[in-house]
Every structure is written in structure tokens, then in C-alpha cells.
Amino acid sequence: MRLARDDGSAIAEFTMVVALLTILTLSVMQLALALHIRNTVLDAAAEGARYSALADNEPSDGVERTRDLIRSALGDDYASNVSASQGTWLGQPAVIVTVRTPLPLIGLVGIDDGLEVSGHAAIETPE
């Protein structure tokens, strides 16, 4: 006499595996989105720092350059909190552009100012 039948177990197993693979796929896609946003904002901050470090530019020029790059790549929501300052980096006078932007956790919804990146560039001196 058979106590347990396994009729229908393939459907249940398929459903569980598909659910697990769907969650895994969505998690990888969310990580890719977060890394894309981080890398884009970091590149914009570095470019803004290089731009403002030129001999005829001010830190405010780098802030605007950074905002323009972020707006064109990601949108206005990610370009709202950009600042620049002069300081030292590795013992050299430098411009430091800092960007604070939302960190996406579920789709594009996330923690406000959850991601902070900085770009640095040595200040160019006129000869």
C-alpha cells in the first residue's frame, strides 16, 4: 500500500523554482541599476572636479558641469545635491566635488541622499 502519492509535485516544484529564479533575476537587475547610478554620478563628479580645477574656472563652474552631466544621464532628481570645495587631496591642493543622491532600493525608489560620491582633481595653477 502506498501512503503518499506524488501526483502534482512537478507543478509545485516548478512554481517554487520559478519564484526563486524571478527573485534572483530582479535582485541582480536592481544591483545593476544601483551600480549604474553610482558609476554615472561618480564619473560626473570627477568630470566636474576636473573642469573646476582648470586655471580659469571656479568651484561653482564644476558644480554646474556636474549637474548638467547628471541631468542628461539620470534626470533632475539625481542632480539636486551637488557641492564643491577646495582642499587637499594626497597632499596637493585640489577641488573636491561631492554629490549626494538617492540610492535606489526597489526600482527607482530608495533612500534620499543614501549615496554619496566625491570627485577630486588637482588645481591647475597659471604659469
Side-chain angles (χ1 to χ4, degrees), residues 55-124:
D56 57 345
N57 289 339
E58 298 293 323
S60 61
D61 297 330
V63 168
E64 284 307 311
R65 174 84 170 149
T66 302
R67 282 190 177 139
D68 288 342
L69 290 170
I70 294 172
R71 281 186 191 123
S72 66
L74 299 174
D76 290 334
D77 295 339
Y78 292 91
S80 61
N81 195 348
V82 179
S83 63
S85 62
Q86 291 185 350
T88 58
W89 179 254
L90 300 175
Q92 299 296 319
V95 175
I96 302 165
V97 175
T98 303
V99 180
R100 289 178 189 85
T101 190
L103 177 64
L105 295 178
I106 300 173
L108 292 175
V109 178
I111 302 168
D112 288 340
D113 296 338
L115 179 64
E116 180 179 328
V117 297
S118 295
H120 310 85
I123 296 175
E124 182 180 288

Side-chain angles (χ1 to χ4, degrees), residues 26-43 74 78 101-111 114-117:
L26 292 175
S27 299
V28 168
M29 290 173 64
Q30 185 64 42
L31 178 63
L33 175 65
L35 287 174
H36 169 69
I37 289 173
R38 178 196 170 273
N39 290 340
T40 301
V41 171
L42 180 61
D43 184 54
L74 299 174
Y78 292 91
T101 190
L103 177 64
L105 295 178
I106 300 173
L108 292 175
V109 178
I111 302 168
L115 179 64
E116 180 179 328
V117 297

